[in-house]
Amino acid sequence: MSNLSKLNVLMCGTGEYTTGWTGSGASTSDKKIGVVGLTMFDLRRLGKVGQLGMVGVNGGKFPAIRQHLHEKIGQAYKDMDTSFDEFPKGGKVDPEAYKEAIDKMSKGDAVIVFTPDSTHFPICMYAMERGMHVLVTKPATQLLSHHNELVAAAQKHGVVCFVEHHKRFDPVYSDAKARAATLGEFNFFNAWMSQPKSQLETFRAWAGKDSDISYYLSSHHIDICCWILQDKAVPTRVVASAATGIATGEPYNCVPQTEDTITLLVDWQSITSPRHKGTAVYTASWTAPLKAGVHSAQHWYYMGEKGDINVDQAHRGYDITVDDSGKTWYNPFYMKYSPSESGHFDGQRGYGYISIEKFIDAAREVNAGVAKPSDYDGHGYPTIANTVLTTAILNAGRISLDEKRPVGIKKSGDEWILE
């Protein structure tokens, strides 16, 4: 890989996942110094990444963000440069600053999109139409039609487009997928994922307005289920239900349409056996208790024809108790923030890091002509083409909630559509 050219990268979005900085200051979650920015700074140190840029809406946030990154990353790890070019400049407010930033880049550069769900599609399309590789956070888009357009755009422009479904790189999840392949026909899947009510403070600017908890959290386990069932079964029908009342009350006061907890019931049909049908239940909530000891409660259960799998990713047999904060369960397999013996960043084996590095490697390989973007569709990676059914289920769930009806999923020609 050392003979591949460095990749110039623009980070779209300056929030918690990119920088660890939120509208109210440093994040109090398990991402106190972010994931994307930290990974990019480290990959630049390791010679895989070249120039770095960061774009937001409000340029006035950058002085505080730079100070935060300098203190928490630059001074915490040896040889870590946290510099980057910012957009919009001069403290301006510009919702379309990403266009100016992308226009300054070159074909073959990369854009990483961690912005509110409703903005993913226009930013990704703008970047791909200009020949740039794209990594977009989940959900890739809110509408299945938009996802289909991104699949076509990636193919047309010959670029890599991955969705940052980092759970696919969790060693437990990837091992479970391999074992599920030996369990025969699919029968039942049940997933739960939640975050504490404090997230409503973090996400108040968009919660219930631009997106919902199903798009934000259930997208993780819906993608894992779709990944396990790839080439085995397809979703055919979605019915959604929601609990309300907490997010819209004191002290959170989210907009009236904000749901607390959303459940999707999905019918699956075996591809190889007409008589085998399965059901899946995906539930997500952002109104979980505040001091549960984990930031994300997450577990799922898979039952096949010949056995089952039970995964608890919140409690990994690793807990720490502190007088002031009580008991906490940690997940060092995601991101390891403690430095190495030499004082350098030491989280390269975390699946949060690997998920981003795999995209960087793919883009560099395509730029060097040693691979084609379509090659990665067959590697089990969360490419834009491999994740279309995840968006189909999420979009169908939103329609089911809004229109109070079941929503069908079917294939029309080469494209998946909703009924």
Side-chain angles (χ1 to χ4, degrees), residues 2 37 64 75 113-114 181 186 201 220 263 285 326 336 361 386 388:
S2 59
Q75 294 184 333
V113 182
F114 275 78
F186 168 62
E201 300 278 3
H220 281 301
T263 296
S285 176
K336 178 181 181 291
D361 289 344
N386 278 347
V388 65

Side-chain angles (χ1 to χ4, degrees), residues 134-136 140 147 151 154 159-165 168-169 223 230 362 373-390:
V134 171
L135 173 67
V136 58
H147 194 122
V151 172
V159 297
V160 174
C161 183
F162 282 12
V163 186
E164 206 273 323
H165 284 295
R168 292 199 186 197
F169 302 97
D223 179 70
Q230 189 171 336
S374 59
D375 291 344
Y376 303 98
D377 294 333
H379 293 175
Y381 289 163
T383 64
I384 195 70
N386 278 347
T387 53
V388 65
L389 287 177
T390 298

Side-chain angles (χ1 to χ4, degrees), residues 305-355:
E305 186 181 7
K306 301 175 183 177
D308 65 6
I309 298 170
N310 199 18
V311 178
D312 179 358
Q313 288 301 78
H315 308 95
R316 306 209 181 196
Y318 177 40
D319 60 80
I320 294 174
T321 305
V322 179
D323 284 342
D324 293 338
S325 56
K327 180 175 285 189
T328 303
W329 283 268
Y330 286 100
N331 177 11
F333 303 104
Y334 171 59
M335 282 293 283
K336 178 181 181 291
Y337 289 112
S338 54
S340 69
E341 294 81 358
S342 63
H344 293 92
F345 175 70
D346 193 38
Q348 295 86 0
R349 295 172 300 282
Y351 61 84
Y353 185 105
I354 291 171
S355 175

Side-chain angles (χ1 to χ4, degrees), residues 18-33:
T18 299
T19 65
W21 187 260
T22 72
S24 56
S27 170
T28 58
S29 77
D30 58 346
K31 307 176 188 68
K32 291 179 174 59
I33 55 175

